[in-house]
Amino acid sequence: MIQILHNNRCGKSRTALQILEEKSIPFEVIEYLKNPLTEKEIKTLLKKLQLQPIDMMRTKESIFKELFDNTTPSDEQLIQAMVAHPILIERPIVINGDKAIIARPPELALEVI
């Protein structure tokens, strides 16, 4: 089943949900802010995305700047930051089995279907 890491306050995330609904594609919503991902889940997701941790992060969030201002964090530090502060995870992320994509723009959600 398709899964989507979703933040209802994010317009792009809501649009990605709408695209899946319009295409009648069944999916499961993962509200990652209410139920944060574990370190293992983030590492698995990074493999599916084929990205480095920094590429899955919202680097303009104030918490990112507070944590890493004027430093070059390691991948492990970035992963631990996403575990502790899930708001740092880019959204929406659409997952289909071993494939995943950051759906920005939201139409990219269809690329893993």
Side-chain angles (χ1 to χ4, degrees):
M1 170 171 284
I2 306 298
Q3 297 175 307
I4 182 168
L5 268 65
H6 176 64
N7 176 352
N8 198 45
R9 294 181 62 196
C10 173
K12 293 194 185 314
S13 193
R14 289 191 310 269
T15 301
L17 279 181
Q18 183 180 7
I19 289 169
L20 295 175
E21 288 170 349
E22 288 172 357
K23 297 285 185 183
S24 298
I25 298 168
F27 60 89
E28 173 189 3
V29 174
I30 299 171
E31 294 188 44
Y32 68 97
L33 294 178
K34 292 180 183 177
N35 301 299
L37 301 177
T38 65
E39 178 181 352
K40 182 178 179 182
E41 289 170 326
I42 289 172
K43 287 180 177 180
T44 298
L45 186 53
L46 285 165
K47 287 180 186 175
K48 291 178 182 186
L49 288 165
Q50 297 180 358
L51 294 175
Q52 297 300 310
I54 192 69
D55 301 321
M56 192 173 104
M57 297 187 77
R58 300 177 56 80
T59 58
K60 293 181 182 171
E61 288 286 337
S62 60
I63 189 71
F64 184 90
K65 293 174 184 175
E66 289 173 27
L67 291 170
F68 302 118
D69 191 36
N70 298 320
T71 65
T72 304
S74 68
D75 285 351
E76 190 58 34
Q77 289 173 310
L78 294 172
I79 290 168
Q80 292 306 317
M82 286 187 275
V83 170
H85 307 282
I87 193 71
L88 290 173
I89 298 172
E90 189 60 84
R91 66 204 178 237
I93 297 177
V94 180
I95 307 160
N96 185 5
D98 290 335
K99 300 182 291 185
I101 194 164
I102 297 174
R104 295 182 79 82
E107 294 76 17
L108 289 176
L110 297 174
E111 290 191 10
V112 295
I113 306 306

